[in-house]
Amino acid sequence: LNSNPSNNEEKEALYQLTKSDELQRLHSQALSAYEQEDYEAAISLLDEILAVCVWDAELRELRAECYIKEGEPSKAISDLKAAAKLKNDNTEAFYKISRIYYQLGDHELSLSEVRECLKLDQDHKQCFSLYKQVKKLNKQIESAEEFIREGRFEDAISKYDAVMKTEPEVPIYATRAKERICHCLSKNQQATEAIKVCTEVLQLEPTNVNALKDRAEAYLLEDLYEE
C-alpha cells in the first residue's frame, strides 16, 4: 500500500488485517480451550480458522489431537494425513496415523503408515518400535488365516493364541482372535469348546454375525436345534 496506494487495495488490505487479527484471537482461544481440555470448543474454533488457513499443518495436527481426545479417530486420521502432505518429513503425523489404525484393529493399514514414517527416518525410535510390534502381529494373523484356508484348524488356533499374547493391551485383537478360534473349533467339530468361545465373543459383541453363525453350526453338531 505504501508503494502503490489505491482505494480498492486499501479496502482489501484493511479487511485482511482485520481478518488476521480475528484469526489470531480465535487461535489464542483455541489453544486456551485445548489446555483446559475443552476439546469440543477447541475443534469449533479450529474449524473457523482452518476454513481460511486451509494449508496450516500445525493447526490440523492440533485439531487431530482434539478429535483423538473426543473419540473420533477417523476425523483425526483425515487431519493427520493432510498434515503429513503439508509438512515435509512429517514423521510424527505418520506415527500417529499408524498408532490410531493399530488401536482400531486395522493392523495392515497401521503397518503401511509406519513404513512411511521409516522411509523418512529409518532411525525413528517410536516408529521402529511400533513397526516391529505391528509386523510381528501382522505375520501371525496372516499365518493363522493361511492355516484356516488349508483346513489346519489346530494350527490356526495355536497361532491366534499367540496373537493374544503378542498384543494383550488392545482389546480388539483378543476379540478378533477369539472370533476366529470360535470359527476353527466349529469347523473342527469341537462343538462344546466352540460354543464356549463363541459365547465369550458374543458377550463382548452381541451382534457379531460370524460368531453367531459359528455357534449355530456348533449347536447343530450337538443337536441343539432350538438354540
Side-chain angles (χ1 to χ4, degrees):
L1 272 176
N2 287 336
S3 65
N4 186 16
S6 77
N7 287 339
N8 287 342
E9 285 178 1
E10 188 172 355
K11 281 178 189 171
E12 177 63 17
L14 286 170
Y15 169 75
Q16 295 286 7
L17 267 174
T18 308
K19 190 73 179 169
S20 68
D21 286 343
E22 182 194 342
L23 290 172
Q24 283 179 326
R25 180 177 56 79
L26 289 173
H27 186 217
S28 296
Q29 289 176 356
L31 289 173
S32 176
Y34 178 78
E35 282 162 13
Q36 290 167 25
E37 299 183 7
D38 186 352
Y39 303 116
E40 194 177 338
I43 289 167
S44 179
L45 291 159
L46 289 165
D47 286 346
E48 282 190 68
I49 307 168
L50 280 161
V52 181
C53 307
V54 183
W55 314 116
D56 193 310
E58 286 178 10
L59 289 176
R60 287 191 176 274
E61 287 174 353
L62 180 60
R63 189 168 67 175
E65 283 298 313
C66 294
Y67 281 136
I68 291 166
K69 301 287 189 186
E70 285 288 286
E72 296 191 76
S74 58
K75 289 183 179 178
I77 286 170
S78 176
D79 267 344
L80 287 166
K81 283 191 171 180
K85 288 192 180 86
L86 291 166
K87 199 196 293 184
N88 285 341
D89 299 344
N90 197 344
T91 52
E92 195 60 28
F94 284 117
Y95 173 70
K96 285 179 181 175
I97 295 166
S98 180
R99 285 285 313 164
I100 294 170
Y101 276 133
Y102 187 71
Q103 295 292 326
L104 291 173
D106 200 329
H107 52 94
E108 289 172 333
L109 279 175
S110 176
L111 189 59
S112 170
E113 295 295 333
V114 80
R115 277 178 174 147
E116 291 300 317
C117 172
L118 290 171
K119 279 181 195 174
L120 296 171
D121 179 5
Q122 62 186 20
D123 298 321
H124 194 289
K125 285 184 181 176
Q126 287 178 306
C127 284
F128 187 66
S129 174
L130 180 60
Y131 171 72
K132 284 198 297 184
Q133 174 73 1
V134 185
K135 190 181 178 188
K136 182 180 178 183
L137 192 75
N138 195 58
K139 193 172 179 181
Q140 287 174 331
I141 292 169
E142 282 181 352
S143 178
E145 289 301 311
E146 184 62 32
F147 286 142
I148 290 172
R149 284 191 290 275
E150 293 170 1
R152 295 167 60 186
F153 299 115
E154 290 290 344
D155 290 333
I157 289 166
S158 176
K159 263 307 169 198
Y160 271 118
D161 280 333
V163 166
M164 288 190 279
K165 289 189 180 79
T166 297
E167 185 42 83
E169 302 295 324
V170 184
I172 194 165
Y173 292 107
T175 306
R176 290 290 159 268
K178 283 183 180 180
E179 179 193 312
R180 298 306 280 157
I181 290 169
C182 144
H183 174 73
C184 292
L185 290 166
S186 182
K187 288 288 180 191
N188 215 29
Q189 301 198 334
Q190 293 169 261
T192 308
E193 294 92 331
I195 291 165
K196 177 177 173 287
V197 177
C198 294
T199 301
E200 285 176 19
V201 175
L202 289 162
Q203 283 168 348
L204 297 166
E205 296 180 349
T207 57
N208 186 311
V209 175
N210 293 327
L212 285 166
K213 280 158 57 180
D214 288 322
R215 190 170 68 173
E217 292 290 336
Y219 280 141
L220 285 174
L221 291 169
E222 294 286 277
D223 298 332
L224 296 166
Y225 301 118
E226 287 295 328
E227 288 84 342

